[in-house]
Amino acid sequence: MELIFILIIPIAAALLSLVPAGKKFASGITIAGAVAVFILTLRAVFAVAGGRELTAVRNWISSDGLGVLILLLVAFVGLTSAIFSRGYMGRIVEAGKLRKVRRYYFRYNLFVFSMLSIPILSQVSLVWVLVELTTLLSVLLVSFENTAEALEAAWKYIVLTGMGAAFALLGILILYWGMHIAGGEAFTWAGLIKAAPAIPPALLKTAFIFILIGFGTKIGLVPLHTWLPDAHSQAPAPVCALLSGVETTTVLYVVLRLLPVLEASKTINTGNWFIVSGLISVGAAAFLLIQVKDYKRLFAFSTIEHMGIIMVAAGLGGFAGHLGAVYQILTHSITKSLSFFAAGSVFLLLGSRNISSVKGLIKTSPITGAALLIGGLAIAGAPPFAVFLSEFSILKAGIAGGNYLTIGLLTVFIVIAFCALMFHVNRMVFGKPAQEPLNPGLPPAAIVALVLAVIPVILLGFYIPGPLNKLLLYAASSLGR
Amino acid sequence: MIDHSATPTLLTQLNALTGGLFLLSTFGVIAVRQVLGCLKMFIIQSLLLSASALFLAYYYSSVHLLAVAAIALGVKPFLIPYLLRRTVGEELTSRREISQVLNISTSLLIAAGLTVFSYFVAKPLLSVSGGIITAVNLPIGISALFIGAYVLTVRREAVPQTIGILTMENGAFFAGISIASGLPFIAELTAAFDALIIAVVMGILIRKIHERVGTTAVGGMKALKEE
């Protein structure tokens, strides 16, 4: 039952956000809805960690370990972003433009709805529609600030991902064709895995290539990534946290779901497809990280890097590789949302997106400086934060599997990316302040969001709670055959 | 779906004719010089898509495909152009030549190459399974998909790019009705609805770009790039 409520609540919150009732009503409703969704998701996590698969409507709405993990991430980032939005919108939108704020929350809730429903729905053809909806419902959030740059970013976003969606649609239709030939009954993830050995390999391979190109656009795999740094840097910071932290992940989840389906066929070298496309992304992103001038683009390129790392880990295969992949999904989402909240706080303080105009943050605003430093260190993969552990587990899995070349390249790229990220973050946090801040301090809601976001980033570096650990194990096992 | 016979009947010939015209209208999206012409080609293409769905519904005696044809007929040639007109406004009907990266004759040549390529892509699939209907619809659908993607890269204006995306979706569906006719009905319905939202969102965005930047030649927007 939890799953149905998780789908209903954001839609209700979206509709209520449009009610013209006071200045803080829309944000209050959104936060309340996000809290409710988060609590329901925790219930789902405990149920799945207890070894039970959640089914609301058979063959349509159900979720297993991997699905619930993604659900948890979307619910968590959806909550912290809702809180951060309250502070951010209060500063960005001029007082009195209440209609604009209401529309923002309406779209925000619908966008969160589309992402929550992807891991919940098990009907593959509907998953395609929802992936397309995540784009369509977030485009107008990307163009929210209505500047020429924001509109350009939104246009590139919808054109490239719309093109990808059409490719993925044909891929999914071919997949259905294959399942039909194989005599499968239900076009669900589980049904596909069951029918996979009988699907003709030619169909499976063509379908996979179309889906990889199509959804690869959305995930931001190089060379299909060109829209990503634009959209992820021009959107308002709380939306960036959602786009970078969880939207890419939910689409990556769809591609990862195909892994056990493809491995049924011996003629397709699935692992290599994943490793090669992943390594290209990590490598290109590592070098592009060096030249950025805009600190939000910095974190956007880091997202491309992390998507690549997850693809490589999934391609390495074996239970250890799959566990590394789902672990990296978890740590990336929570850390990236913190990084974008920190970036958004810097923007609220200084009103500039340039790295060169930000100096000595730790003196002008200790909270923002500390958040940016922790976010930067954590996302770059420094110990003792969570990303370090997950990257380490991937490297370990690769070496144990004897993939020395892949791991060698991956290590080099991660080190380059680490140095590039730290170089930029270091310049922004330390040194002598270059300018007086526009605003004296951060809005209280933004501080609450930063604190909430930083807790798991630090905690998961030391300790993984029992149910979460179980969830990761279940998620990893659903990637294998 | 298993084909009942491999011999060409009147119905399969009609479907092949529809397929040929569908491909021709896709070439038309590349060949016309004006925005309104692009939209007209899309309307013709969508009508042909519904016609093919109708023939296939009769051929397979499938009520399901009949519904698909009806939805496609209602949404694509009528509702989408209407909504685009409502959201985009006069920019849609302005008589102005579309600026593009390559000229039209080169573009047509490349489109012909893409069509040949899509037969290569479809060949291994057709050798596994598929009868006389799939052999027409699948490669033509794939070539419409590729040609739509090509339109997106060479046409530098917003409305033709929107038509490019809608053409790609039409292509995927043209192939889809022959290979995945048993797809859950709700999936077909939501997918058609989805095409509608694409048109509305892109229309709103085009209007915003026009208000803010003063032109819809999106190819000229180059503020965001790497150093």
Side-chain angles (χ1 to χ4, degrees), chain A residues 132 146 152 155 176 291 297, chain B residues 161 182 198 212 221 226:
Chain A
E132 176 75 349
N146 215 12
E152 180 189 344
W155 185 257
Y176 179 85
Q291 50 83 48
R297 287 179 91 84
Chain B
Q161 287 192 356
I198 292 181
R212 184 88 209 175
M221 298 170 82
E226 303 320 314

Side-chain angles (χ1 to χ4, degrees), chain B residues 28-222:
Chain B
V29 175
I30 284 189
V32 295
R33 287 172 194 280
Q34 277 169 359
V35 175
L36 197 59
C38 249
L39 187 66
K40 277 179 185 155
M41 283 298 164
F42 167 75
I43 293 171
I44 295 171
Q45 190 191 46
S46 305
L47 287 171
L48 289 164
L49 171 66
S50 355
S52 183
L54 198 64
F55 293 141
L56 263 58
Y58 188 76
Y59 187 77
Y60 293 126
S61 346
S62 148
V63 183
H64 180 95
L65 274 173
L66 197 66
V68 171
I71 297 170
L73 187 65
V75 170
K76 287 187 168 162
F78 298 108
L79 214 48
I80 285 180
Y82 170 75
L83 286 170
L84 271 180
R85 231 173 264 252
R86 282 290 298 273
T87 49
V88 178
E90 82 274 18
E91 192 61 14
L92 192 65
T93 46
S94 67
R95 297 199 157 267
R96 185 165 53 77
E97 209 163 293
I98 303 166
S99 79
Q100 49 182 24
V101 180
L102 285 172
N103 66 30
I104 283 171
S105 39
T106 320
S107 289
L108 284 173
L109 211 60
I110 291 173
L114 286 173
T115 310
V116 174
F117 177 65
S118 46
Y119 274 85
F120 272 106
V121 173
K123 206 173 160 237
L125 305 184
L126 292 172
S127 66
V128 172
S129 162
I132 196 159
I133 294 271
T134 318
V136 170
N137 280 42
L138 183 65
I140 289 178
I142 296 177
S143 43
L145 189 73
F146 288 156
I147 292 172
Y150 176 72
V151 169
L152 285 179
T153 50
V154 290
R155 296 235 146 166
R156 291 153 56 95
E157 291 198 27
V159 180
Q161 287 192 356
T162 310
I163 306 281
I165 289 207
L166 293 170
T167 300
M168 288 183 78
E169 288 230 330
N170 270 359
F173 272 104
F174 196 80
I177 50 173
S178 71
I179 59 173
S181 47
L183 215 57
F185 184 65
I186 184 157
E188 303 272 7
L189 197 69
T190 44
F193 185 60
D194 186 76
L196 212 61
I197 306 179
I198 292 181
V200 172
V201 171
M202 291 185 91
I204 293 173
L205 210 55
I206 292 171
R207 184 151 78 189
K208 281 188 171 186
I209 290 173
H210 190 62
E211 281 168 4
R212 184 88 209 175
V213 191
T215 168
T216 56
V218 287
M221 298 170 82
K222 281 183 183 149

Side-chain angles (χ1 to χ4, degrees), chain A residues 289-336:
Chain A
L289 271 170
I290 299 173
Q291 50 83 48
V292 287
K293 302 272 188 287
D294 174 329
Y295 52 81
K296 274 165 108 184
R297 287 179 91 84
L298 183 74
F299 292 126
F301 278 118
S302 147
T303 300
I304 299 176
E305 182 214 344
H306 281 271
M307 290 300 120
I309 295 175
I310 296 167
M311 289 292 279
V312 172
L316 287 173
F319 187 73
H322 293 154
L323 187 61
V326 292
Y327 194 10
Q328 182 79 13
I329 285 179
L330 167 72
T331 58
H332 168 256
S333 286
I334 53 171
T335 315
K336 190 47 66 61

Side-chain angles (χ1 to χ4, degrees), chain A residues 70-356:
Chain A
I70 305 293
L71 190 63
L72 175 66
L73 296 175
V74 178
F76 177 72
V77 179
L79 173 61
T80 49
S81 286
I83 299 172
F84 193 81
S85 293
R86 191 183 175 99
Y88 192 83
M89 283 299 136
R91 284 276 171 87
I92 290 293
V93 180
E94 306 97 273
K97 288 207 169 172
L98 288 179
R99 214 164 140 234
K100 203 172 174 189
V101 175
R102 283 201 296 272
R103 234 182 290 154
Y104 169 82
Y105 282 109
F106 173 67
R107 287 171 186 155
Y108 179 95
N109 279 308
L110 286 181
F111 180 39
V112 170
F113 159 77
S114 66
M115 289 191 294
L116 284 171
S117 51
I118 290 176
I120 289 179
L121 287 178
S122 42
Q123 178 71 26
V124 182
S125 47
L126 282 185
V127 168
W128 174 81
V129 175
L130 282 158
V131 169
E132 176 75 349
L133 271 186
T134 58
T135 306
L136 297 174
L137 297 173
S138 59
V139 162
L140 295 176
L141 285 171
V142 171
S143 74
F144 180 77
E145 287 178 17
N146 215 12
T147 56
E149 287 86 16
L151 287 168
E152 180 189 344
W155 185 257
K156 279 188 189 163
Y157 177 35
I158 195 170
V159 165
L160 274 159
T161 54
M163 182 173 98
F167 275 109
L169 173 62
L170 186 62
I172 282 177
L173 292 172
I174 294 175
L175 209 55
Y176 179 85
W177 188 25
M179 199 206 66
H180 199 85
I181 292 171
E185 288 140 24
F187 194 38
T188 59
W189 297 120
L192 267 177
I193 293 175
K194 218 169 109 196
I199 298 178
L203 292 187
L204 211 49
K205 190 173 178 178
T206 315
F208 172 62
I209 293 171
F210 272 111
I211 294 175
L212 184 67
I213 294 173
F215 287 158
T217 328
K218 197 103 169 95
I219 300 168
L221 296 178
V222 176
L224 305 161
H225 70 288
T226 48
W227 63 273
L228 191 144
D230 300 345
H232 289 204
S233 64
Q234 290 300 322
V239 177
C240 294
L242 281 175
L243 287 171
S244 247
V246 287
E247 193 207 18
T248 45
T249 308
T250 49
V251 184
L252 182 65
Y253 152 87
V254 177
V255 175
L256 290 184
R257 279 281 192 200
L258 292 175
L259 199 59
V261 179
L262 291 160
E263 272 173 357
S265 154
K266 293 280 169 291
T267 51
I268 310 172
N269 217 332
T270 323
N272 285 354
W273 279 94
F274 274 75
I275 289 176
V276 170
S277 57
L279 272 182
I280 294 173
S281 300
V282 183
F287 286 102
L288 286 165
L289 271 170
I290 299 173
Q291 50 83 48
V292 287
K293 302 272 188 287
D294 174 329
Y295 52 81
K296 274 165 108 184
R297 287 179 91 84
L298 183 74
F299 292 126
F301 278 118
S302 147
T303 300
I304 299 176
E305 182 214 344
H306 281 271
M307 290 300 120
I309 295 175
I310 296 167
M311 289 292 279
V312 172
L316 287 173
F319 187 73
H322 293 154
L323 187 61
V326 292
Y327 194 10
Q328 182 79 13
I329 285 179
L330 167 72
T331 58
H332 168 256
S333 286
I334 53 171
T335 315
K336 190 47 66 61
S337 58
L338 169 68
S339 309
F340 270 110
F341 295 150
S345 307
V346 178
F347 185 69
L348 283 183
L349 285 177
L350 301 174
S352 162
R353 290 177 213 249
N354 281 334
I355 292 175
S356 53

